[in-house]
Amino acid sequence: MKVAFVSDTHFGYPRFEADASAQGRAAILDAAKRADILILGGDIFDHRIPKMETLLEVAKLLQEAKKTMHEHGACSPYILGIHGTHERRAKDALNPIALLAHLGLMEDLHNKTTTIKFNDERVAFSGLGGLPDDLVKEALPRLACKPAPDAVNFFIFHQTLREFIPVPLDAYASIDDLPSGHDYYLCGHIHARKEYRGGKLLLSGSTVMTQQKEEEKSPKGYYLIDTVSRHAEFIPISTRPFEMVELKFDKAKPSEVRQVVEKELQKLLAQKWADKPILRIRLSGSLSCANSDLDLSGIGAGEEAFLTIDNQLDGANLAEGLSQLKMERMNRATPLELGMALLRENSKTAGLDAKRAEEMFERFSKEE
Ligand SMILES: [Mn+2]
C-alpha cells in the first residue's frame, strides 16, 4: 500500500492565504494521484473555526481528492487524519476535522485505530490529535488506540517532542514516550521536514511558509511511504521562493547599515525569481549608537517581494534575546490563545483540572 502523509496546509492562513490554498491543494491532489491512502497530519486549517469559504474550499478539495483516488483503485475510506493544535477545541466542541469526518469526507483518527485490508496486506492507523505540548506525556499512556496484530502499523500525531527543539523542555514528551509497536510514526506541527530513528519517525513539514526560518529554505512537500518495500520518499511541491540573509555589523553607523541593507535588497531583487519571493534580511551585531537611531523606514521591495527586515542589532545578550522571543510568540498569539494559556497556567496553582479550565474558557469566550 502507498500511504501519503500531508500536514500543516494551514488553509486560511491570513499572511499568505493564496499560497496556503495553492500549495495545500497541490500537495493533496498530487498525493491523491499516487497514494492508496491519504493521511492528513493536522493544521489542515489555520483556525479552529475557519471561515465558511475556507471550509467549503477544503471540503470540495477532499471530494476531488477522493474521486481521483477512487478512479485509480485506491482504498476506501481514502482519507484519514487528525486535528492539529490550530484546530483543537474543548472536548465537547466540534473541531473542523471532526466536521469533515461527519460529512463523510474523511475519517477522524483521533484516539482510534482503523485497520484496512488492501490486496494481501493489513495496514492499521492510530492517531492522537494535537494537544498543548505539556499535556502529551500524560496523554500518551492513556490512549485507547493501539497497534493491530499482523498489520503494518502507523501512529499519527501532531506535537513538539523534546528531540525536535534545540533546548529540550522537561515538560515535553520524548520520542521514547511514543506508544511502542508501530512501524511508522508520522508527525505534523513542525513546519520543516525532519526524519528521526532511521526514517521510522517522519515529519513532512508544512506546505506553506509561516515562520521564515533558515530551515524553511528547504523544499516543502509530502511523504509517500510504500508499506511493501518499506521505502519512504519525500515528494516536493512547487512553492513561493524564500531567501533569508544575515548581515553582520560591528559598531556600525546607522547610515552605513541602511546603505548595506539597501544594497543587499537590490542584489536579492536582481536575482531571477520564478515568482514574487519572500525575503527576510536579518541584522545582527552592534551599532555605534542606540538602536533607536537606526532608521530603516521606507526600505521596501514594493511590489517585487514580500520583505521582512529583522533587526537584531545590539540585542546580542541572552536575556534580551529570550524576552524578544517571548514577545514574538506573544505577538503571534491571538488574545484568545493568550487568555487560554494564562488560565491553564493559573489553574495549576488553583488546583483546577487544566482540561476543565479550558472547557470553561471556551464556553465563556464566545468566539462564535
Ligand atoms: Mn502548523
Side-chain angles (χ1 to χ4, degrees):
M1 180 190 282
K2 283 190 173 149
V3 178
F5 180 59
V6 177
S7 193
D8 295 77
T9 50
H10 285 268
F11 280 88
Y13 174 56
R15 172 97 204 265
F16 295 114
E17 195 168 347
D19 288 4
S21 279
Q23 294 168 195
R25 183 178 167 80
I28 286 174
L29 290 182
D30 194 68
K33 268 188 234 156
R34 303 176 195 233
D36 301 307
I37 285 284
L38 169 57
I39 306 289
L40 302 177
D43 285 6
I44 296 312
F45 296 96
D46 194 56
H47 296 107
R48 53 202 175 125
I49 303 182
K51 287 186 294 186
M52 286 291 177
E53 289 79 3
T54 311
L55 271 174
L56 178 65
E57 179 187 3
V58 174
K60 281 167 118 175
L61 173 60
L62 295 195
Q63 251 168 358
E64 198 178 330
K66 280 179 80 166
K67 192 168 165 251
T68 303
M69 294 178 82
H70 176 76
E71 281 167 6
H72 73 71
C75 188
S76 175
Y78 307 107
I79 306 173
L80 306 114
I82 51 167
H83 62 267
T85 37
H86 277 246
E87 290 134 340
R88 178 172 182 262
R89 301 190 68 211
K91 214 176 171 187
D92 55 354
L94 183 70
N95 73 59
I97 297 301
L99 173 76
L100 294 178
H102 279 291
L103 295 175
L105 292 163
M106 62 181 285
E107 191 167 306
D108 186 357
L109 269 180
H110 174 58
N111 202 15
K112 259 183 65 184
T113 301
T114 294
T115 306
I116 293 164
K117 269 196 190 159
F118 185 69
N119 300 333
D120 292 332
E121 262 190 301
R122 263 161 62 85
V123 183
F125 301 90
S126 303
L128 168 66
L131 283 173
D133 287 316
D134 52 340
L135 301 182
V136 180
K137 231 178 177 178
E138 254 178 75
L140 285 171
R142 295 210 305 254
L143 283 174
C145 57
K146 54 176 186 292
D150 307 319
V152 180
N153 280 284
F154 284 78
F155 182 71
I156 295 97
F157 67 111
H158 185 105
Q159 298 303 151
T160 300
L161 296 182
R162 245 181 263 171
E163 289 82 352
F164 303 166
I165 44 177
V167 185
L169 295 172
D170 277 348
Y172 285 19
S174 132
I175 295 177
D176 295 322
D177 296 321
L178 292 170
S180 57
H182 294 276
D183 299 277
Y184 285 100
Y185 297 81
L186 308 177
C187 181
H189 196 50
I190 303 296
H191 281 197
R193 174 195 165 198
K194 292 174 196 288
E195 294 185 6
Y196 294 85
R197 303 279 161 107
K200 272 187 83 166
L201 168 54
L202 302 171
L203 285 71
S204 62
S206 64
T207 55
V208 62
M209 169 73 59
T210 57
Q211 294 161 339
Q212 300 187 19
K213 285 188 198 161
E214 183 72 28
E215 58 183 16
E216 283 198 277
K217 273 181 173 177
S218 48
K220 297 203 168 289
Y222 69 94
Y223 274 105
L224 191 65
I225 302 144
D226 188 322
T227 55
V228 177
S229 70
R230 298 292 172 108
H231 177 72
E233 185 186 358
F234 184 76
I235 299 176
I237 55 161
S238 148
T239 53
R240 182 178 297 286
F242 167 62
E243 185 59 82
M244 178 177 167
V245 289
E246 179 160 2
L247 302 175
K248 289 182 180 153
F249 298 91
D250 182 25
K251 299 189 188 81
K253 284 190 208 146
S255 56
E256 219 179 287
V257 174
R258 194 181 165 100
Q259 253 182 11
V260 173
V261 172
E262 279 175 335
K263 217 172 137 193
E264 183 62 37
L265 180 60
Q266 285 319 311
K267 213 170 93 191
L268 285 168
L269 290 176
Q271 289 181 33
K272 287 222 167 356
W273 299 102
D275 199 350
K276 181 172 164 175
I278 299 169
L279 304 176
R280 186 177 184 93
I281 301 178
R282 185 182 160 93
L283 312 180
S284 65
S286 60
L287 282 170
S288 62
C289 55
N291 203 324
S292 54
D293 292 336
L294 175 64
D295 178 17
L296 295 171
S297 63
I299 301 183
E303 291 301 296
E304 294 168 271
F306 298 98
L307 173 70
T308 305
I309 300 175
D310 177 16
N311 179 0
Q312 298 288 337
L313 285 161
D314 277 339
N317 81 59
L318 189 63
E320 273 185 49
L322 280 176
S323 73
Q324 181 143 11
L325 211 73
K326 201 172 168 190
M327 279 306 291
E328 268 184 32
R329 254 181 91 172
M330 302 258 289
N331 288 338
R332 275 207 309 268
T334 63
L336 270 178
E337 284 163 348
L338 286 175
M340 182 92 93
L342 200 64
L343 184 69
R344 208 165 42 233
E345 192 58 41
N346 290 343
S347 68
K348 282 183 207 157
T349 42
L352 180 69
D353 178 55
K355 269 196 191 138
R356 179 86 190 110
E358 263 189 26
E359 279 166 27
M360 278 159 58
F361 186 88
E362 279 221 0
R363 201 156 293 161
F364 289 114
S365 67
K366 288 214 171 194
E367 57 190 307
E368 292 92 332

